[in-house]
Amino acid sequence: MNIVVLVKQVPDTSDPETEVIIDSTGRGIDESKLSFVINDADNYAVEEAVRLKEKHGGEITLVCLGRESANQVIRMALAKGADSAIRLDDEKFSYSDPITTAKILKTALDGLDYDLVLTGCMASDDGYTAIGVALAKMLGLPHAAMVKSVEVIGDNKMKIGRELEGGLMEMNEVDMPCLLTIQTGINEPRYASFKGIREASRKEIKVMDLAATGLSEEEVGEAGSKAVMAQYSVPEVGELAEILEGDASETSAKLAEILKEKGLV
Amino acid sequence: MHDIFVLAEHRQGELREVTLEMMTLAGQLAEQSGGKVTAVLLGSGVDEFAQKCAQYADRVLYVDDPIFENFNAMAYVPALAQLIEEQKPHLVLIAHTTQGVDVAPALAVELDAPFTTEIIEMSLEGEKPAATRQYYGGKINGRIEFKDSDVYLVTVREAAVPAGEATKSGEVQKVENPLKGEAGGRRFLEYVEAAVGEVDITQSEKLVSVGRGIKEEKNVPLMEELAKVLGADLSGSRAAVDAGWLPTDRQVGISGKTVKPKLYLAVGISGAFQHVTGIKGADVVVAINKDPNAPIFQYADYGIVDDLFKVVPALTEKLKEVK
Ligand SMILES: Cc1cc2nc3c(=O)[nH]c(=O)nc-3n(C[C@H](O)[C@H](O)[C@H](O)COP(=O)(O)OP(=O)(O)OC[C@H]3O[C@@H](n4cnc5c(N)ncnc54)[C@H](O)[C@@H]3O)c2cc1C
Ligand SMILES: Nc1ncnc2c1ncn2[C@@H]1O[C@H](COP(=O)(O)O)[C@@H](O)[C@H]1O
């Protein structure tokens, strides 16, 4: 069973020390102080692919649209068990909307032979929750979004569970080849082994620029997009909490008093 | 005349509340642009939902066919694409729900329409929409500009507008199922309800809720101790549950539980939209977070901006004293 997994490198916004600051273009963020990680949901997608490979054999190809620094994320996924990778990288891809991003990603899949495509359900930076399902349509594959359980049943069929609101699961049967967008929590992602990391350094990362995609300049980036992000702004903050000032012993004393006053202790 | 389409959502015999919100937003936009609101309902034997939609829409297009008894994106996408191509609405609104995200991106590809997701604000200046959506977990807003098109497609964040009054009495038009044959490659099997655990956090009077900020499973007991002095149950964000620190039934938020405690104490939780949507019913919300810009402070009544590993032990002691 050959599997393609989409992986994106994103800034680690869970770190309390990193501030997301809009840069001078108004359309990007200041990346100088940020650290970068694999997108959370993609990490689960990689793990799911490796588990399927362990059970059913086959090869895993990673596809990533990102700059050279994204190799770090790709190498980690290779170390966990993926076999090869394609990285799409060209200045001209900047400012692509999610549909155009899917169109660019598709060019990396066009020459590949696969039974299953896995993506994360959502990227933690852009958060469109769209690229996987858009890509499925472009590839002419059946799809399911928000997948939290996967099981191969018989020839070319999967039983999958979509996680709905309130934790309700919707079970579906999907014919392969298909595309699934993976929700976090579907498995417990492993850490890469030292052996895996060593081996990963020898695996191939193929790079595709605009010319290699066969797309024209007009088809990608802002020119090729119909719904572009034109301007970032700092959100208007609603009424903020009353912030208790002081060191930990002072703030906790104040909070304890407030809770007592309100009859909550 | 410019029509705004709203996709109606239903599940397990209920029309979902979010559909009323979407129709309310469509009504506001229709007023700006001088258009009409059409609800599109794909279902099987759900005349009462059609009637309900008619109270919020100028027209209801109702496809009554057994194939739509349960949601299936592979049936929805081609059916909606055909309806849209025939009826030529100017704008299509789909809720950014687990149904919406399964349908809308594929529909956008099929229609080749300008498309964006989870908008929180929208206007129809002249005839062209402009929209705002969020990036980086709500830390930054972005303005989306659309290229000229006959039809635009967007998904809308839940609760972007509250559901308004039922003031309309639209006409229900039953239309023939535009979908011929089967849903390509996907079949609905069944629903599986979330397992019930030992504590039902939807009934808890107080909750200490933990997030990724507590860093490791070995810090859970520290939080349990705080919960114990408060007489609170322990709940958490999706990140805490995904990491295996808490069982699934303790998750608060859109894909977890909606809670309504008298006290909700969020520790090391950033306050993503999908999380805070589950705590709207809480009386007093307190947040402890090291990042002064964490969105959770916009939802909290009281906040402490500090390292939780300093505050939590101190607070546990102070609470023992004042008790
Ligand atoms: C379809 C879908 C459904 C979802 N449903 C849910 C849901 O039901 N519930 C839910 O919670 N999420 C849900 N999410 C995920 C949501 O988008 C967020 O990713 C999640 O809520 C983040 O959890 P968190 O706040 O614990 O982690 P993070 O966002 O990583 O935040 C961690 C916080 O801890 C703080 N912190 C770190 N260290 C310290 C310290 N030493 N002291 C104090 N503070 C510290 C940081 O400043 C940060 O604000 C869903 C996502 C999707 C796509
Ligand atoms: N630049 C990218 N490179 C590779 N995969 C991507 C990229 N952008 C998005 N994806 C995939 O699409 C998923 C959904 O992203 P989004 O629609 O932006 O929320 C992510 O979880 C990734 O798996």
Side-chain angles (χ1 to χ4, degrees):
Chain A
M1 188 159 109
N2 292 332
I3 308 174
V4 176
V5 189
L6 264 56
V7 292
K8 185 179 192 188
Q9 188 194 41
V10 295
D12 181 4
T13 39
S14 72
D15 181 348
E17 315 301 331
T18 62
E19 218 181 316
V20 183
I21 299 169
I22 301 167
D23 70 12
S24 57
T25 68
R27 303 180 68 185
I29 58 164
D30 177 1
E31 296 184 344
S32 57
K33 291 194 194 69
L34 297 177
S35 56
F36 287 83
V37 291
I38 186 171
N39 180 48
D40 204 17
D42 302 358
N43 196 28
Y44 289 90
V46 168
E47 176 64 31
E48 204 56 29
V50 174
R51 288 181 187 202
L52 287 167
K53 173 180 153 174
E54 284 168 351
K55 218 165 162 185
H56 305 282
E59 298 223 327
I60 300 172
T61 308
L62 306 169
V63 173
C64 170
L65 193 165
R67 287 159 307 179
E68 200 174 346
S69 63
N71 278 354
Q72 164 223 349
V73 155
I74 294 172
R75 291 267 175 233
M76 251 333 148
L78 288 170
K80 292 180 183 189
D83 297 279
S84 62
I86 301 171
R87 186 168 56 81
L88 294 142
D89 185 1
D90 200 302
E91 271 296 299
K92 305 259 165 37
F93 297 154
S94 309
Y95 304 121
S96 294
D97 70 10
I99 298 291
T100 302
T101 303
K103 186 164 72 183
I104 299 166
L105 289 164
K106 176 179 176 288
T107 64
L109 278 88
D110 279 340
L112 302 178
D113 168 36
Y114 51 81
D115 308 289
L116 178 64
V117 181
L118 299 182
T119 76
C121 64
M122 178 177 101
S124 64
D125 52 357
D126 293 339
Y128 288 113
T129 334
I131 286 167
V133 173
L135 177 63
K137 184 75 203 169
M138 292 174 187
L139 293 168
L141 300 178
H143 74 263
M146 306 286 156
V147 171
K148 217 181 158 187
S149 78
V150 172
E151 189 191 344
V152 179
I153 47 166
D155 283 348
N156 300 319
K157 255 197 311 202
M158 310 194 100
K159 184 177 176 183
I160 59 101
R162 298 180 60 235
E163 190 192 43
L164 310 180
E165 288 78 8
L168 183 71
M169 290 278 267
E170 180 196 280
M171 307 309 295
N172 283 270
E173 209 174 80
V174 189
D175 298 335
M176 291 199 280
C178 60
L179 183 146
L180 308 176
T181 84
I182 300 294
Q183 175 60 293
T184 59
I186 185 175
N187 51 40
E188 247 181 77
R190 71 193 65 195
Y191 291 97
S193 66
F194 285 115
K195 181 163 166 274
I197 292 170
R198 231 178 15 249
E199 283 170 6
S201 62
R202 289 195 294 271
K203 291 180 183 168
E204 191 198 352
I205 302 177
K206 186 176 135 191
V207 180
M208 286 173 72
D209 63 3
L210 177 63
T213 64
L215 297 170
S216 70
E217 225 171 285
E218 289 70 43
E219 290 173 291
V220 301
E222 189 160 0
S225 298
K226 294 182 175 175
V228 289
M229 202 300 296
Q231 178 76 50
Y232 279 147
S233 60
V234 177
E236 250 177 67
V237 287
E239 206 183 317
L240 276 187
E242 180 185 336
I243 303 292
L244 309 178
E245 308 284 347
D247 64 17
S249 83
E250 289 163 344
T251 53
S252 56
K254 284 180 192 166
L255 182 56
E257 274 313 315
I258 291 168
L259 296 181
K260 187 173 166 98
E261 248 167 59
K262 294 191 177 287
L264 292 167
V265 263
Chain B
M1 179 50 57
H2 285 303
D3 230 0
I4 301 177
F5 268 25
V6 176
L7 176 61
E9 229 181 79
H10 58 94
R11 178 183 299 150
Q12 293 182 302
E14 276 179 46
L15 183 70
R16 301 197 66 233
E17 170 78 15
V18 69
T19 301
L20 307 186
E21 297 169 11
M22 292 303 122
M23 289 189 293
T24 303
L25 173 64
Q28 292 167 3
L29 291 168
E31 246 167 59
Q32 278 180 29
S33 67
K36 293 248 185 279
V37 178
T38 297
V40 180
L41 175 64
L42 309 178
S44 174
V46 289
D47 295 58
E48 54 180 307
F49 299 167
Q51 293 307 330
K52 178 89 184 176
C53 288
Q55 297 173 356
Y56 290 83
D58 302 297
R59 178 172 72 136
V60 181
L61 289 180
Y62 172 28
V63 183
D64 185 0
D65 191 296
I67 199 170
F68 296 122
E69 184 182 347
N70 289 297
F71 171 77
N72 182 345
M74 301 312 292
Y76 267 55
V77 173
L80 288 169
Q82 285 221 31
L83 283 176
I84 291 165
E85 270 158 14
E86 275 165 34
Q87 304 270 341
K88 306 205 179 316
H90 186 51
L91 174 66
V92 179
L93 301 181
I94 295 181
H96 193 80
T97 56
T98 58
Q99 285 192 14
V101 301
D102 208 18
V103 165
L107 185 58
V109 172
E110 183 71 28
L111 296 170
D112 196 19
F115 168 65
T116 201
T117 61
E118 206 177 6
I119 60 155
I120 55 171
E121 253 173 28
M122 177 156 214
S123 67
L124 280 177
E125 294 157 2
E127 300 197 327
K128 204 163 149 171
T132 304
R133 65 183 306 285
Q134 297 201 306
Y135 293 82
Y136 300 97
K139 290 187 174 173
I140 287 189
N141 283 358
R143 182 184 158 82
I144 305 294
E145 287 181 4
F146 299 93
K147 293 211 175 129
D148 285 335
S149 173
D150 295 330
V151 59
Y152 302 90
L153 176 61
V154 296
T155 68
V156 183
R157 174 175 283 184
E158 280 191 67
V161 296
E165 301 286 317
T167 54
K168 299 196 175 184
S169 49
E171 180 200 352
V172 176
Q173 294 176 4
K174 270 205 182 184
V175 288
E176 208 188 313
N177 183 3
L179 180 71
K180 304 289 171 251
E182 298 286 301
R186 173 167 150 189
R187 292 157 298 278
F188 172 85
L189 298 174
E190 59 172 340
Y191 290 112
V192 179
E193 301 286 340
V196 194
E198 53 189 284
V199 175
D200 180 2
I201 58 169
T202 66
Q203 300 305 318
S204 299
E205 279 224 347
K206 297 175 199 169
L207 287 169
V208 169
S209 207
V210 302
R212 190 177 273 137
I214 72 159
K215 299 268 185 327
E216 284 182 273
E217 186 164 12
K218 70 169 173 49
N219 296 320
V220 173
L222 189 68
M223 306 302 145
E224 276 169 343
E225 215 184 310
L226 172 61
K228 200 168 151 227
V229 264
L230 274 169
D233 294 317
L234 204 61
S235 59
S237 71
R238 179 167 195 124
V241 169
D242 286 347
W245 302 336
L246 294 175
T248 315
D249 60 315
R250 302 292 182 103
Q251 183 182 314
V252 173
I254 204 155
S255 54
K257 301 268 167 66
T258 301
V259 296
K260 43 179 191 333
K262 292 205 174 90
L263 172 65
Y264 189 81
L265 179 51
V267 185
I269 292 178
S270 63
F273 169 75
Q274 293 94 343
H275 182 81
V276 294
T277 209
I279 62 171
K280 287 215 189 85
D283 283 347
V284 177
V285 176
V286 180
I288 302 173
N289 196 307
K290 216 169 161 178
D291 175 5
N293 298 315
I296 190 73
F297 290 120
Q298 293 175 43
Y299 302 91
D301 301 291
Y302 300 97
I304 297 178
V305 180
D306 203 347
D307 185 350
L308 70 92
F309 296 106
K310 287 189 193 137
V311 177
V312 169
L315 181 60
T316 307
E317 287 314 307
K318 287 285 187 293
L319 286 168
K320 281 183 189 156
E321 285 169 25
V322 300
K323 235 167 120 167

